[in-house]
Every structure is written in structure tokens, then in C-alpha cells.
Amino acid sequence: MTVQTALREYFEDLESPNEQSGTTHLLDDWHVTQTHWDLGTNRAWEGLLTQGNGYLHLRASFEEGLLDHPQNVEYERKMESVTVEVAAHQTTRQGVYIPAITGEHPAVRETVLNLPWFADIRISADGEQFDMAHSDVSEFSRTLDWRTGMLTRRVRWTTRSGAVIDLVWERFASQDNRHLFAQRLHTEVRRGHPRICWQSAISADVVTNGHRHFPAISTGASNDAIECTVITDKGDEVSMVSRVVCQTPQEASSTHFVTDTEAEIAWEAVLTEGQSGTLHKYTALTTSRDGTIDPSLSEDSLKRAYDAARDAADAGWDRLLAASAKRSSAAWEVGDRADQTSLVDVPHLRWATYHLLRCTPAFQGITQVCPKGFAGEAYYGRYFWDTEIFLFPFYLLTNPLAARGLLEYRYNTLDGARRNAREYNCRGAKYPWQSGTDGDEQCPLWEYADLELHVTADIAYALAQYVNKTNDIDFMWDRGVEILLETSRYWSDRVDWDSQGVPHLINVMGPDEYSPMTRDNAYTNRLVRFNLDQAIRWAGRMEREAPETWSELTERLGFRREELEGFAKISDRLPVPYDPERKLILQSADFEDYAVIDIDGIWQDRTKPFGFYATHETLYRSRCLKQADVVILLTLFPEEFDDEQVESAYEYYKPYTVHDSSLSPAAHVQVAQRLGKAEDIKEFVEKMIAVDFDLSRGGAADGMHIANCACIWQLADAETPS
Amino acid sequence: MTVQTALREYFEDLESPNEQSGTTHLLDDWHVTQTHWDLGTNRAWEGLLTQGNGYLHLRASFEEGLLDHPQNVEYERKMESVTVEVAAHQTTRQGVYIPAITGEHPAVRETVLNLPWFADIRISADGEQFDMAHSDVSEFSRTLDWRTGMLTRRVRWTTRSGAVIDLVWERFASQDNRHLFAQRLHTEVRRGHPRICWQSAISADVVTNGHRHFPAISTGASNDAIECTVITDKGDEVSMVSRVVCQTPQEASSTHFVTDTEAEIAWEAVLTEGQSGTLHKYTALTTSRDGTIDPSLSEDSLKRAYDAARDAADAGWDRLLAASAKRSSAAWEVGDRADQTSLVDVPHLRWATYHLLRCTPAFQGITQVCPKGFAGEAYYGRYFWDTEIFLFPFYLLTNPLAARGLLEYRYNTLDGARRNAREYNCRGAKYPWQSGTDGDEQCPLWEYADLELHVTADIAYALAQYVNKTNDIDFMWDRGVEILLETSRYWSDRVDWDSQGVPHLINVMGPDEYSPMTRDNAYTNRLVRFNLDQAIRWAGRMEREAPETWSELTERLGFRREELEGFAKISDRLPVPYDPERKLILQSADFEDYAVIDIDGIWQDRTKPFGFYATHETLYRSRCLKQADVVILLTLFPEEFDDEQVESAYEYYKPYTVHDSSLSPAAHVQVAQRLGKAEDIKEFVEKMIAVDFDLSRGGAADGMHIANCACIWQLADAETPS
């Protein structure tokens, strides 16, 4: 299957949501309420309503699943698509993620794991299993409260036996004890006297991107507890223990069912008109990697899960919720920008902020934020440049400790970056295009891994932002300067010198991923110069202000002072292609060697990406930008370019830019703001909102576009980092 | 695993042969005799001594296999390596190929299948299984007779029980009845009175590149016949029937063993000093695709195999051999060039010719010649440009019907080429970089499939050679012009026009595969112009000379006469980059934008390819040629360039060319001859011989480099096509 065919299939699959019309949801300042449910948009809603607390994340799949859509189907996932990740087309995709828990996929390398499905709560009445697709359901609504993170679903169910039952599910991830997830199902009979069965399981019969990752699974049940421990294919242990309690008018007795992969507890009772029953499920999740957060958490994970689940059940719903809400409110205190003038309405701003807060890593320095915000498996939970360039301002301005954690992650994976550089016969450190646990390259496609170099310099940029804002000089001495020196060494080996003594970066993919092998990409070269300049500047300062640490560091790295002169030589001469006549920054020195194609003629339907119509072969040889490239550069160095230069670049690239990346509109808004282009601002803000929140285009089906969320947050008129 | 790591492992695996020294084989005018056997060079010898007859091919693996090296190991083959195909590292690789029988590999697409191992003959004495690696073997020799295709192996075996046994295996593929393979094992006891057991099986327990391809297998045995029929994963049927007869002094009775995947027949007898026994095995291979050769062969393949095996056994060894040898001699009559002055010695010339004759397709118009000459699975039995540019002269000059067959294959796969063009949103026909049964692209790597375009024009070149030489005008009217028009239409859509009205081919990989995305590759552009010119020329002639067929054709294709003007406009203007000052044809317009690297400094050991030391990332951004590029162009249009231009190009590219492709030295020899560079000629001829025949570098381990064989043949001083 070619990329093109894959893309066509992907979008054909999305046709059904297009057909659906009418109001599907209501927004207010603190809530979104889904008022209409259908199969076509189900997966998008699962992403949009993802819950979590930085430690664990849960897609908003229904507790009971969808009967026709099993979650254990194995399939072969390859990374063939270059534009759009083509995952298996599933109507529902349950997802439980703990960012630090990853596995090895045979074809696509390291991936965050979809962990056992612990949120399972099923209900049947008179032998009929409740299912959103098959049952007679009315009065559906589902509300996510952004402040508390509570997700509430209500339906009225008319059973085939004639009973009418009101069901209310509630659930939240505790912001107080991050290992905890609490659930409740309230069942009230309005008519009839159905025999009701409640079942609740933890199931390890799950796959990640079609692949099984648990070589060992153990399950058990006793009294009101069910448990499941898995060993991942990377040797990590994940334990889950649920306390499940069912209150009914008559004492109902529970039954256990335990298989190799599942542990289940069930109750049965007859409820008559007006009677109700409530099931509470308190699940604790622990892992063998928890010690990386807090050394006291390195002991037996199953025991810790047992204790936590018991304590939660003892404390009860209201106290757990209150404790969680208190923490949640505190986070909103600093994260919220709803009181500021904004280009975006309060509900969408808050919705985006909700996901940013949810993604704040609990594993400080061990994990970052994956581009899908741990609301899907599409990018395998890996870390890209998104963090440093797009997400960083949010964390830096609201939670400097979290921002520091993002940089600590890069320091902790510096050895992997060194190995990457060695793979290319270079000294120093080359950060991977796609980073996992160790900083080794996880991207299996050479055109990105080999060519999209800028991530390394982007990290230097974020580092400078951090220190400028926080003045955390110790961080520079302990970690930052080492990053700067090692990355600069890599650049020194990566440049090629021409016969005139000018260094070049040949065969580079800039942010515009439709131009893979260009010469002297302006964005990359400018950032590389910045990286080298920072190395020189901070090395000098460290030598003066912390001479002992400096000596230690340079000795450890075998770093000679003369290397700084080499850095300066490159920084002075590395070209940022520019045409003075047009005052135009050229995306690359060879940009105008590429073909001009009839973008408007080819792009028949703009609700689909341009890459749906043009082949990669065409995109690669044309002046066609997947996303902002020079335009991002303008936002990173706003004072370096005058308005004429900014205008010239903005207008020149606009007709060539197809915004097939979710990162593109955000950069354009910023520049449009500077240039006062009201119409463009409106257009691009709409595009930004549409990225996740337009259900007709798939949106968040495979996860939130969290970098775009961070840019939405920046649309509120607060101080921006410079 | 990166390409680099894979390469390192591959070459570490080849270390052992390097260590072995001394004479390993003797050559005379009609034979090669292997005098030394070791594990390290075993796989290379298996390739070098491959037998076949155009219908079937058999690697020279020992009849009994090697006990420690099972052939049914499953593994995951990916196409990750770009320079060197990294197959599983096996000491022995049994291979039975019928070119028309292919299957689907999950990762790498269509592949020729390794069929059931029918050549099995094992012997044990007093319970000790004979094995070349473990038995006490002396006086080993193995001789391939190029004229008859007979392979004879002799050993003296001293058993652990103290017996001394002389063994002689003989085998040949019949050149008379191409479905037949005949084998014989002569066993003579020199000392002792061992109890000997002969076993012979057909085993479908085999894999191709680590993957199983037979969803259905049936096996059987009766009297002296064993049989095996497999259904491939493409639905083809392959039947094999062996008649096995064992003559011993005392009548020995046979036993059958039949499992789901194997059918075996065995005999046991005690032989005393001076006694001998002879086993004959006549195997017939038939397939459900045989009807594509001859419609009378479309009936039940198993029955045909039964009949053929019975007839062979009835005819007996001597008559079969005589009939085969007669055909073989006739082929040598026209194929042999040993009586001509040659740059290569007669034995190597004949060895190469032997493989060329062996590869002459039996499936005329249905298969071509794969780059490994069906002596291995490394390139999946696919067809590349090798046929049209390198192999074509051999077939054209010795067997024009076979040459026509090669072109018929391209005509028969024109619909696939049309589908390929559609994949790129182009009209017309784009031949695939790697072609299989239907002409659809089989190469899973976009950098070749999308960018290495020249194969399409190479086919037009071969077509012109064919018609010039044979004057087979009917072929042009029936097939050739359609190919020319459709390919020209593709070029019309693939070129990009600049603002000066000049067409360009942007992002092209020429023959030099270390430069993937260049602008206006001289080789490609010149061949494209040729392709267009041929279309114009032959269209004009056809319109005049065969107006009715022309009308039919143009109507069927919806071809408008004006399209020819479009072809002319491109042909007139498509640049072949040239620097008049240096009289230098530039490989591409941007060739000198790439970096100059220190090739000598990087290339520490020239017995390994340069790609072993430099990363792909480096190769891709450097002036480093994997193989001849402009130099091939000089050989294809010798009269177009004067000696100064030829000299200029030859000397300019030589230091940049690392000859990591087996196709490179051949082109250089031709140009060195023209320029009278005696030393270079010597060096490149040695390189050509080394490609397959230097055992220390792996050589033919994964198959013969058949295009290089054809160039060796051309070293004999005969008329060359122009």
C-alpha cells in the first residue's frame, strides 16, 4: 500500500462524521457537555475528554466498551506514512497510559504502552448487556468539568424486557494521589423490576498499536478487590488493584471470575421501581518505575497498589474528590488565563488549558509531553521538538519547575544523544528526532532521523528561555553548559565547508517536512548559530564564575578551549539565506530551485489535507510547505527582523503553505498579530480551534494536538517569552 | 538497528573467509574444481556453482545439507539497508527457484519463492549421518562442467565405525526437458562392511527470507516415487515428483516416511569391501503457471510431474544426459566468445557465460533475469534496469528471441507501469524501480521507488537497440510504439517547467544511488530525451507505414497527435548539465553544491565497501558516487561525446567514485578502453572478476551478480551494440 492509498483509506474512514450534523455539544465556562453520541465521532470524543494527572492518562472510552469493537485485535503496524499517521481504524480505542511505561514494538521501536483496561464497569438487565450502540438509549449526555476533571455520563435505558433504568457514570483521576482513579455508577430503576448484573474487571487482554507487550500477566481477586500485574517487554512491572463495592437495597453477594488475563467481580440483584444501586470502583496504579519520582516508591508495586486502593475505599468518594479538587484548583490558579483578553473564547481556552495541566509530567526529568498529550498511541508517546518550541512557554510561565523538568529530561538523555552523534560518525550530541526513554533515535524513517536536525538547536533555545526567565544559573553549571558544549560539537562535525571557507548544512529538513533535503535551511542555520553562541557565552561565564565546575566539566568532556573558537567561526559564517532585494529570508538556499505547482487546482476539498491530493514525490520537489518554517523563525527572534522583512516572508510563503501540520496555524497567528492582519488572524485562530475541536475532521481521535493547545493558551494576551 | 550497525555485522560475519588461505580451486577451459571446502566460503560456492536451465534454478547446496544449519528458521526480514542487502547470515542457504513462482512477503512485497528442497539425498553408515562439517572427510573435490552443467562432488569418508567409503554425487538440470533434474550418488566401500542407509526426500519445510509461503502442502509416496505439491500464498501450484531408485548388490527394499511437509524414501543395505551401490533420483517440477509458456502445459501439474519423472526414470541417466548435453552445446555455440581476444581469461569468461546461458528465461515474456541470476533470494527475484542496460547486449547478440522476450515482459507489465504512473498522479506509464509479476512497484523504499526514474527510459533504450539490430518492425507496431508513447506521456507529466520555459527533472536519483535527490541528472535527462525522440520517430514512421494499426493504437490510448509536439518541446529543452569551460558533463545541475569529503581518509580498508565507513547521511550530502553515472552515459552514446569530453568526465568523477555497486567497474572499463588507460583497465577488470569470484568478500553468497557477468562477456572483443 502506498502512502497515497493509505491516506485515501484513512479519509474515507472519516467520511461518516462528516455526514452527521446538528448540535453535538454545549460549552460553558467550565464544562463541555456532549449531547449527541454516534459511532462516527466516538473516537474523537475519546481523545477530547481524556482524563489524567500527569502520572496516568485515560481516554474517555465508555466503561463498558462497545460490544462490536474488541480491543485485543492484533495487527501489523508499520511506519509507512509520512504525512498522516495511519493507525488502525477503530471506532473505539480504549487507552490507559503511564508515560514512563514503554515497550518495544517490532517495527516502529519504542512505544508508550496501552496498559490493562481498569476502568471496566458493565451492566446488564434481564440478560441484556448494556451497549451504547445496541441498547435503546435516550437522554444521553456527557460532561467534562475542566476544573475538577470529573467526567459524568447520563443515559436513560429502556431494556428489551421493558424496564426503564437511569444510569449515571462518574469518574476522575485524583490530582491529590496520582496513583488513584475513582469511578462510580449510579443505577436507578424508573419502571419495571429488572434483574441487574454489575460486572467490573481489570483486563490485560489489550494491545498497543496492534501488538502485545506483556510477556507475563498475573491476576487475582479476593473479597471486594481485583488485581492485575503485568511485566512489560522492557521488564517493567505495572500493578493495578481495584476495590469495587456495590450498594443495593438488598445485600447482593459478589462473585469472582479470574482468567489468565482478567480479574472480574460481579453482583446480581433485582431492583424494583424507584430502587437504586451504586457501584464504586477505586483503582490504584503503581509501577516499578515509581522510584524515579520518589525513592520511597521503589518497593513492591503490588503491595503499594493494594494499600492505596484500600485507603481510597476507606476514605470514600467525597473525601477523595475534595482532596483532588483542592489540588486541581491550585493548578488552575496559575494556569488559567480566562480573565485576560484573548483571541479565543473562554471555553476553548479552558479546554486547551485543561489538557496542558493534565499533561504536566509526574515523572519529572524522566518523561516529557508527547505530541498527542498521552491521549492516544499515534506518535508512540515519543518526544519531539514540540516540547521545546511550542509547549515550553506554557510551562515556563505557569510552572517553572515543570519547565526545568522538561530540560532535565534532555540532560538525562544526553548519553543517548551522544550515541546518536556517534552513529553519524560525529562527536558531541545529536538529539534524536523522536526521543524515548534513553535519548536514542526512535524514528525508524531515515528522512526524519537523518535530516530533521533542528531539534538539537531547539533544545538550546528552550534552555536559554528557561535561564533568562528563572535565572537558575545552577542549572546551567550542572547541566545546561554540558548540553550546549556537546551539541555545539555535533554541529562542528556536521557542517561542510566549501572552498571559500563557508560552512554549510547540506541535506537538511527544516520544520517544513515537505522539503526533506535542502541546503542551508534558514530556520535550522539560525538556531544552530544561536546554539553555538549560547555555548560560547555560557562557557565564558562559567569559566569566570564557576571555574572549578568548569574545570571538572571540560576535563570530563575532554573539551579544549580552542573548540570555542571553532564554534565562533561557524556561528559567524553559517549562512541564513537572504535576498536583500526582496528583503526576503529564503527558506533554504535552493528553495527557488523547486517547482511551482498549482496548489489551488490540486486541492479539491480543503477539509482534507493537501497531502491527500498531492503525492509525496510531488510535495518533495515543489515549493509547497507542509507548515510554517521561516514564519516560526520570525516568532523566535522577533527583534532580529524588521517589519518589512517579516511582511515580505509572511506574504511570500503564505500561498505555498498548506498547513498540513497542526503546528502551522499557531505560528502564523503570531506573525499576523505583529502585522495587524485581522482577517488572517481570524482564519488561523479558527484553524487552531479546528485542529482538535472540529469533530468532522477526526480531530483528537488519535490524541490531542497538545502543542497546538499550548499555542491556543498563548492566544490569551499575557506576557510572552522573548 | 541502523544501516551502519547492520553493515558492520554483515562484514564481521564475512571475516572467517578472509582468514582462510591457500588454493581453493582450479580452473581449466571448461571446468572449475573446488579443492578445498570450509564453512566460511560455503555459501559463496553455493552461489557460484548454481545450476539451472531458465525454468528452474538450484543453488549448489550439498544434497544432504549441513546438520547444524536448518533451513526452516523463520525470521523477520525488513528492507532497512540501503547499500548492502543484509540477509540472514547463514552458512548454507539451500535454494530452489522457478522464476515465475513468486509469493507475497509481509514487509518487502513480492518475492521469488524458495521452493521445496527436492535435491535431498542423505547417507548414513552404521548409524553415523554423513555431514561435511562433522564427518571425517578426505580427498574432497567438486567440479562444475560449464558445457554440460554437470556438478560432481567426490569425497572419501572414514566412518567412526572404521569403514572407508568413496562417495560421488552427480547432478544436472536437463537443458532438454526443463522440468527435469537428475541426480546420482555412487557409494563404494573401500574398507569394512558398513550398514548403509540412503534417504531421499522432498521437503516443503522451507522458508524464503525467513517467511513461510505455502498455505497448503500435500505429500505422498508410493513404490519408488515421492511427491510434494504446494499451493503458494499467491495461489500458484507447484508439484514435484521424484523417482528414486537404489541399486545395491543385494536387493534392498525401500521404506517410505511421509509427514505433513515431507515425503521420504529410504533403503538400507550392508556393503562389504569392494561393493558399491548407486542411487538415482529423477525429479520433475511443474507448476500451474506452465501454461504461460505453452498452453498445452496448463493441465494438472501433479500428473505432468508424475509422467515426466516416470519417463525420465525409464529413459535412464545416459540418455537424459546426452539429450541435455546436445542442447547445452547448441547454446554454447552461439554464446561462447572464448575464441576471441579478451581482457579476461577463458575460464572466467566461460564461468560468466555459463550463468548467462543458465538465466535465459524459459518463461518468455513472463519473467526476466533478476540481478542475482536466480542464485539467491537477496533481491527477491525482482527485475531492475540491469536487464535493459547491462544484460541486454548479451541476449541481443546471442539469442535475439530471448532479447525480444525481455522486452515482451515490459510490454506485458505495461498496465502495472500505468498504475504506477497513476500513483504519482501522472498519465502514461512509469516502469517500477523493482518489477515483479505485474509491473507494479515492488520496492518498499520511497527513495528508490519515487526517485530512481531512469529505468523507464532505459527500457526505451533497449527497445531501440533491439529494433536496430533485428529490424523487427512488427514488434514496434504491436508493442514498442505503445511503450514509447505511454512512457513519453509519463515524462511529460513528470517534468517541471521553470519561469524561463525550461523543463527540469527535480529530485531524481540517477544510477549513482548515493545522490538521491538531485536536479537534472545528466544520465536520466539524456535518456529521457532519447525516449521522447524515439516516440516521435516511431510514431511518425508508424503513421506512414502502418496507418491502420496506428489509428487503432491512438484511439485505444486516446492519443492526440499534438502530444508529439509536447514531447519534442521537452526533448529539445531538457537540460543535460554541462560546463563548457571544463568540457565537463555534470552528473547533475547541483552536483558541485555537495560536500567534498576525504574519501581516502575515511576508507580505511578497501576490501570493504566505502558505505561500511561513511554513513548514508554523509554519502547523501557528499560528492561521492556509489557507481558510475555520467560514465555509463558515455558508454551508451559513444559517438555523442568527443574524446576530450570523455576524458574530462572520466577523470573528474574517478576520485569521487567508490564502486560500491557491482555495476560500476564494467562501465569504467569500457571508457578506459576508449581512452587507452591500460592501468585502469587492468584494475577494473580485476574488480569485475572479484565481484563474484573473490571468495574472501562474500562474492556470490547471496547470488551471482549477473549483470556484471554480462559485462565480463562483453570484455571479449566482439562487436558491441551501438
Side-chain angles (χ1 to χ4, degrees), chain B residues 107-236:
Chain B
V108 301
R109 306 191 186 168
E110 189 176 2
T111 173
V112 70
L113 292 188
N114 180 29
L115 296 172
W117 178 242
F118 69 82
D120 173 74
I121 302 174
R122 282 157 291 145
I123 182 167
S124 62
D126 299 325
E128 178 191 351
Q129 191 80 36
F130 176 79
D131 180 81
M132 287 292 292
H134 291 297
S135 299
D136 179 351
V137 170
S138 59
E139 298 179 32
F140 165 84
S141 78
R142 183 156 59 156
T143 300
L144 176 64
D145 181 320
W146 297 314
R147 185 153 37 187
T148 62
M150 177 74 78
L151 182 63
T152 307
R153 171 168 54 132
R154 296 164 199 277
V155 302
R156 172 158 294 176
W157 175 24
T158 305
T159 70
R160 284 198 286 274
S161 60
V164 176
I165 305 170
D166 283 351
L167 297 169
V168 183
W169 291 260
E170 292 165 286
R171 71 196 210 188
F172 66 96
S174 173
Q175 307 298 321
D176 180 49
N177 179 347
R178 296 189 174 197
H179 300 276
L180 270 190
F181 199 90
Q183 294 173 269
R184 179 154 85 172
L185 168 59
H186 187 72
T187 309
E188 190 170 347
V189 174
R190 315 287 297 190
R191 197 174 75 201
H193 41 84
R195 171 168 293 276
I196 293 181
C197 177
W198 296 270
Q199 293 163 279
S200 180
I202 304 176
S203 170
D205 186 18
V206 298
V207 295
T208 307
N209 276 307
H211 188 74
R212 296 192 180 274
H213 287 277
F214 308 137
I217 299 170
S218 73
T219 49
S222 60
N223 301 321
D224 60 353
I226 48 176
E227 61 166 87
C228 175
T229 297
V230 297
I231 307 292
T232 72
D233 51 10
K234 287 189 81 167
D236 295 320

Side-chain angles (χ1 to χ4, degrees), chain A residues 1-2 4-5 8 76 78 80 82 106-107 109 422-426 444 446-447 450-451 490 493-497 506-507 516-517 519 593-597 613-618 620-622, chain B residues 1-2 4-5 8 76 78 80 82 106-107 109 422-426 444 446-447 450-451 490 493-497 506-507 516-517 519 593-597 613-618 620-622:
Chain A
M1 184 160 72
T2 64
Q4 215 58 20
T5 319
R8 273 171 208 142
E76 202 183 342
K78 280 180 268 190
E80 264 201 308
V82 197
R109 306 190 188 169
R422 269 357 130 255
E423 286 282 340
Y424 293 95
N425 294 338
C426 292
W446 68 266
E447 58 271 31
D450 288 7
L451 308 178
Y490 165 70
D493 280 5
R494 179 55 173 80
V495 296
D496 290 305
W497 296 84
I506 304 173
N507 283 0
M517 294 187 108
R519 183 178 165 80
D593 286 345
Y594 290 90
V596 176
I597 51 171
Y613 295 103
T615 66
H616 255 81
E617 184 263 318
T618 304
Y620 276 7
R621 65 180 150 97
S622 308
Chain B
M1 184 160 72
T2 63
Q4 216 57 21
T5 319
R8 272 173 207 140
E76 202 184 342
K78 280 179 268 188
E80 265 201 308
V82 196
R109 306 191 186 168
R422 266 3 126 254
E423 286 283 339
Y424 294 95
N425 294 339
C426 292
W446 67 267
E447 57 270 32
D450 288 7
L451 308 178
Y490 166 69
D493 279 5
R494 179 56 173 80
V495 296
D496 290 305
W497 296 85
I506 303 174
N507 283 359
M517 293 186 108
R519 181 178 164 79
D593 285 345
Y594 290 91
V596 176
I597 52 170
Y613 295 102
T615 66
H616 256 79
E617 184 263 317
T618 303
Y620 275 7
R621 65 180 150 97
S622 308

Side-chain angles (χ1 to χ4, degrees), chain A residues 206-314:
Chain A
V206 298
V207 295
T208 307
N209 276 307
H211 188 75
R212 295 192 180 275
H213 288 276
F214 308 136
I217 299 170
S218 74
T219 49
S222 59
N223 301 324
D224 59 355
I226 49 177
E227 61 166 87
C228 175
T229 296
V230 297
I231 308 291
T232 72
D233 52 9
K234 287 189 82 167
D236 294 320
E237 186 173 288
V238 179
S239 294
M240 299 183 179
V241 174
S242 299
R243 290 268 168 170
V244 193
V245 183
C246 189
Q247 294 150 315
T248 55
Q250 305 84 30
E251 189 78 17
S253 70
S254 63
T255 323
H256 299 135
F257 302 93
V258 177
T259 71
D260 284 354
T261 56
E262 288 194 17
E264 179 179 307
I265 188 165
W267 285 265
E268 216 173 63
V270 175
L271 297 190
T272 54
E273 216 166 284
Q275 286 191 323
S276 62
T278 304
L279 183 146
H280 285 87
K281 184 175 189 177
Y282 301 104
T283 305
L285 293 80
T286 57
T287 81
S288 54
R289 298 208 75 207
D290 295 347
T292 58
I293 306 176
D294 175 350
S296 75
L297 302 179
S298 50
E299 55 168 321
D300 178 20
S301 63
L302 183 59
K303 184 179 179 305
R304 283 189 289 117
Y306 252 104
D307 294 348
R310 184 201 53 219
D311 293 351
D314 289 351

